[in-house]
Amino acid sequence: MDSETTHRSDAGTGHTGPARRPGPRLGRRATRTLAASLALAATAFGVAGCDSAAAGTVEGRHVELPVSGGTAVVDTGSLAVTAHADDGRTMALSGPAAGDLGAPGPVRRTAAGARWSYPAKGLSVTARADHGRLRIALRADRDGSVTWPVTGTDPSASSLQVPRGEGLDVPVRDAFWNSAKGGLAGSTVDMGADLALPLWGYSLGDSGGGHGVSYLTSTDIGTSLRFASAGGRLRTTASHAFDAGDGTRAYEVSFALTDGNPVAPAADYRALLAQQGKLGSLREKIRKNPANGKLLGAFHAYLWGDARTADGVGRLKKLGVDRMWLGYDAGPGPMDAAAVRAAKGAGYLVGPYDSFANGQDPKTADSPTSVWPGRVYPDFCVRRADGSPESGFHGRGCYLSSRAFEKAEPSKHYLADRTRAMVANGADSYFLDVDATGELFRDHGAGHRMTKEDDRAMRLARMRRLSQHLVLGSESAQPWANKVLAFDHGAGTPVADGLWKLERDKEAWGAYYPEKAPKFFFKPVRLPADVATAMYDPKYRVPLYETALHGSLVNAERWELSYEKLPAQKTTRALLAMLYNTPLNYVLDGPSLKRDGGELASLQRYFSPLHRAAGTERMTSFRWLTGDRTVQRTVFGDGALTVTANFGDAAYRGLPGGCVDARLRGDEAPRRLCPARAGG
């Protein structure tokens, strides 16, 4: 299709000027035309205005509060939430809470809104207008749970945004996603661990129609999101467990009216992070540690065998690769000082893989990163309530308590000594596995008890120390770690459950041998059709993570999903990387470097100037240019970089299918890449 259906994000990060209310909304055609303009203000999302001077009204059991783009009405009897947009449209933001809340107590006005209670549930509630959003906070005086908000109930709901990996936009009536094959319907996810961002959203009306809603849950620990297919339509319901021991007696959800753009919820979240002082800046990280600047323009690769040597590094440089992040595991034969010098001399970053999360008996440990001095194992094991240790990944040893390490660090220096040993070869980067994911633990161990929130704080503290001197990365970085990390591996991948099943099949996927080129990483694999659709079908992919965090850290895919691991997805993945301004991730040994090095170099030479120009900028626009979503466009900064990718088979305005055009500010003509022909 050649019609230009435009959905645009102007991801303004934290407007704090005078309160503004948008005027009457334009018709659909005019809205689309306006949305194409880079001058569109952040208020088009309905999230950038500050609190209105009015604190709303209370009429009986209904609390009405001003939000950007209209007003929100909370039914205190059921917690149902509706909104009245400035153009007169009424929308259901949440159905009534599931289960019986009991009779509400009296509603009292506050300076910013209202408060009331549900005595039978031991809940107190406040509702207020906050930076153009409706913010509802629940606090419990006893353990229990609440199932709310109940979303996707508005009849006009057309698509669901969910940050699984980089992000998905799922039409609510899509047959694939309403079936078991899609892996959403019937599933429940942990908001703090299974999603890349603590949010979800809906577009309302055909192709967004200029209306939508975002849901932000800052209290992600203890919160889950359930996906259900009801009458062939995807609905979502959040639940929160109030648990004093887990420190989750508080629950908060913020609602915002948006323009229906598929990345609007992420723009809303970025604005919230900025307003709270929780949004990091890669530019500032480079100022504090200039080595971080070597991430700009770099592809990422884990090295094996001969690729770990100075000669292997020299081959990359000879191919014309000007920037790389090179990593290696802690097994036999890590990169020596000569290889590290060669890498740094070539302008590359280089660093080890490490983990502070696992401990094993030194006599039987299967990885050097799991061996610790003294009685770290088993004394530092996270303990369950019954005193048993929390088994480590795949039953290996135990997970180690971050609080135990923090308490011991001032005198024992276990972590500092480990880090010094790992970078004694001169490495200037560090990949710390697991620490920034949402995998958090409550620890009942004597002397190192902690809640999941404590665990998060302890991990942040040690990552902050590392980031002062090293270019720090971690796995699938949750946004709470965005200020301490320079890069992550994994948040770019919208993992479908079928992937884990496939990876456990060592015959199909490959095992962890031979040592110098494990088939787990190097054996090419064809994904089952449903897994490929769920993860890489471009018509469902949207850059939620980049809209929220581009310019704060550099995001890449999982390291076991190297660019060459999935041959059928190579073109799509390359186009997505260029469109999102994110690096490709590789695993390399001597033979693969010889076989694939030319292609890698060709792709990296195209990427490098684009990422150098825009890697520190925010993503300001994402839109579909065709009704079938096969042609997509992004903009970074104030026009610093514009990228158009054609995922289809037919040409679009001169751009062939399977190709991407990028234009830097000042370019007279776009720079074109057709990945299938790279390195040929």
Side-chain angles (χ1 to χ4, degrees):
M1 296 176 64
D2 200 34
S3 62
E4 193 169 58
T5 304
T6 62
H7 294 272
R8 186 174 179 280
S9 157
D10 188 352
T13 55
H15 166 73
T16 56
R20 292 184 291 174
R21 294 282 293 279
R25 295 217 178 229
L26 303 175
R28 182 176 300 168
R29 179 172 299 177
T31 300
R32 291 175 178 171
T33 301
L34 179 62
S37 167
L38 285 175
L40 181 64
T43 48
F45 285 94
V47 299
C50 296
D51 295 347
S52 169
T57 60
V58 175
E59 295 185 10
R61 56 187 266 174
H62 294 98
V63 175
E64 183 172 310
L65 293 166
V67 294
S68 291
T71 58
V73 181
V74 184
D75 183 340
T76 63
S78 66
L79 278 182
V81 183
T82 56
H84 304 296
D86 286 340
D87 63 3
R89 181 168 177 173
T90 297
M91 298 165 281
L93 306 190
S94 172
D100 186 15
L101 293 172
V107 183
R108 296 180 173 85
R109 289 284 302 271
T110 66
R115 67 173 184 267
W116 65 97
S117 66
Y118 299 105
K121 293 276 287 186
L123 294 175
S124 59
V125 185
T126 61
R128 58 178 295 186
D130 186 7
H131 288 85
R133 304 177 187 90
L134 168 65
R135 179 178 170 186
I136 298 181
L138 288 74
R139 183 169 293 277
D141 65 10
R142 67 198 74 165
D143 288 353
S145 65
V146 66
T147 301
W148 173 88
V150 178
T151 62
T153 59
D154 192 287
S156 69
S158 56
S159 62
L160 163 68
Q161 293 89 41
V162 56
R164 190 158 82 172
E166 180 60 66
L168 300 172
D169 179 89
V170 179
V172 297
R173 291 189 178 276
D174 190 283
F176 175 78
W177 292 104
N178 277 275
S179 71
K181 292 181 179 180
L184 279 184
S187 70
T188 300
V189 297
D190 185 324
M191 290 292 299
D194 299 327
L195 297 181
L197 304 167
L199 61 86
W200 72 102
Y202 278 91
S203 298
L204 307 176
D206 182 35
S207 298
H211 290 284
V213 58
S214 87
Y215 304 90
L216 311 182
T217 54
S218 57
T219 49
D220 55 320
I221 298 176
T223 303
S224 60
L225 189 65
R226 172 83 175 165
F227 301 88
S229 178
R233 294 168 55 87
L234 278 174
R235 292 185 178 179
T236 45
T237 302
S239 295
H240 184 81
F242 299 105
D243 188 308
D246 281 342
T248 59
R249 286 278 184 89
Y251 177 41
E252 183 176 296
V253 180
S254 291
F255 304 72
L257 303 184
T258 75
D259 66 352
N261 185 282
V263 298
D268 184 16
Y269 183 61
R270 182 184 180 98
L272 179 66
L273 289 177
Q275 290 154 6
Q276 296 176 339
K278 297 179 179 179
L279 181 64
S281 164
L282 185 56
R283 189 176 286 112
E284 179 66 13
K285 294 167 189 175
I286 293 170
R287 187 190 67 79
K288 291 181 177 179
N289 178 7
N292 284 311
K294 292 194 285 185
L295 285 170
L296 298 177
F299 277 2
H300 295 223
Y302 280 90
L303 305 182
W304 302 79
D306 293 343
R308 291 185 176 184
T309 66
D311 287 344
V313 172
R315 276 195 277 169
L316 269 175
K317 187 66 175 177
K318 190 174 181 180
L319 287 167
V321 177
D322 70 340
R323 291 284 177 98
M324 286 292 292
W325 179 91
L326 301 177
Y328 55 92
D329 70 357
M335 291 184 76
D336 61 21
V340 169
R341 283 196 300 273
K344 294 169 73 173
Y348 304 162
L349 286 164
V350 59
Y353 163 97
D354 197 6
S355 175
F356 298 163
N358 188 252
Q360 300 180 40
D361 186 334
K363 297 177 182 177
T364 58
D366 58 11
S367 170
T369 63
S370 299
V371 177
W372 296 89
R375 288 187 56 83
V376 168
Y377 179 86
D379 289 1
F380 284 20
C381 289
V382 171
R383 298 284 170 176
R384 303 185 183 101
D386 63 4
S388 62
E390 188 73 51
S391 295
F393 184 66
H394 284 180
R396 299 161 55 250
C398 71
Y399 279 103
L400 297 176
S401 170
S402 61
R403 181 174 283 281
F405 272 124
E406 286 301 292
K407 289 185 67 175
E409 195 63 13
S411 58
K412 299 295 186 181
H413 318 303
Y414 293 125
L415 302 182
D417 289 347
R418 163 69 74 85
T419 303
R420 275 193 291 268
M422 296 290 275
V423 300
N425 60 359
D428 53 0
S429 186
Y430 214 78
F431 183 84
L432 187 61
D433 200 17
V434 178
D435 257 33
T437 69
E439 188 178 37
L440 304 170
F441 295 98
R442 181 177 176 186
D443 188 1
H444 297 267
H448 47 84
R449 296 177 184 273
M450 65 178 180
T451 65
K452 290 183 178 181
E453 189 70 43
D454 294 332
D455 191 10
R456 181 180 286 181
M458 300 300 107
R459 292 169 188 245
L460 272 174
R462 66 196 191 190
M463 286 191 286
R464 188 175 294 111
R465 293 195 298 269
L466 283 171
S467 69
Q468 292 174 4
H469 307 289
L470 294 163
V471 178
L472 182 64
S474 190
E475 179 188 358
S476 301
Q478 289 287 317
W480 48 264
N482 87 88
K483 294 190 75 172
V484 299
L485 294 179
F487 69 96
D488 86 273
H489 294 160
T493 308
V495 173
D497 288 343
L499 177 68
W500 306 133
K501 180 181 179 181
L502 184 61
E503 289 190 6
R504 289 192 293 268
D505 184 345
K506 295 301 184 281
E507 183 175 345
W509 188 267
Y512 287 95
Y513 62 80
E515 183 179 282
K516 292 187 176 181
K519 291 184 178 179
F520 186 88
F521 302 106
F522 286 92
K523 180 183 177 180
V525 168
R526 188 169 188 86
L527 294 175
D530 57 337
V531 176
T533 297
M535 293 178 63
Y536 291 113
D537 191 325
K539 69 176 177 284
Y540 301 125
R541 292 286 299 263
V542 290
L544 296 176
Y545 196 86
E546 298 314 309
T547 297
L549 294 176
H550 196 277
S552 174
L553 51 75
V554 175
N555 177 33
E557 287 214 62
R558 296 181 60 83
W559 74 311
E560 81 271 22
L561 297 178
S562 71
Y563 184 60
E564 302 293 341
K565 181 72 176 180
L566 307 174
Q569 280 73 44
K570 284 179 62 174
T571 292
T572 294
R573 295 172 78 192
L575 294 182
L576 286 168
M578 303 308 156
L579 184 68
Y580 296 170
N581 199 229
T582 56
L584 292 173
N585 210 348
Y586 286 78
V587 292
L588 297 172
D589 66 345
S592 66
L593 182 55
K594 183 177 181 179
R595 181 183 66 246
D596 305 319
E599 179 188 42
L600 183 159
S602 179
L603 294 170
Q604 193 272 335
R605 283 195 295 270
Y606 181 83
F607 175 75
S608 185
L610 309 182
H611 197 236
R612 288 181 189 228
T616 59
E617 301 284 349
R618 61 190 178 100
M619 180 183 282
T620 48
S621 173
F622 169 80
R623 50 183 169 137
W624 298 303
L625 301 186
T626 58
D628 63 3
R629 302 185 174 188
T630 58
V631 184
Q632 304 177 15
R633 178 171 291 166
T634 53
V635 179
F636 298 85
D638 186 15
L641 172 66
T642 301
V643 186
T644 305
N646 186 349
F647 296 95
D649 297 323
Y652 172 82
R653 297 186 178 179
L655 177 62
C659 298
V660 59
D661 275 352
R663 190 188 292 268
L664 293 172
R665 184 189 289 114
D667 280 353
E668 294 183 1
R671 306 164 185 229
R672 179 162 294 174
L673 173 71
C674 299
R677 298 197 291 271

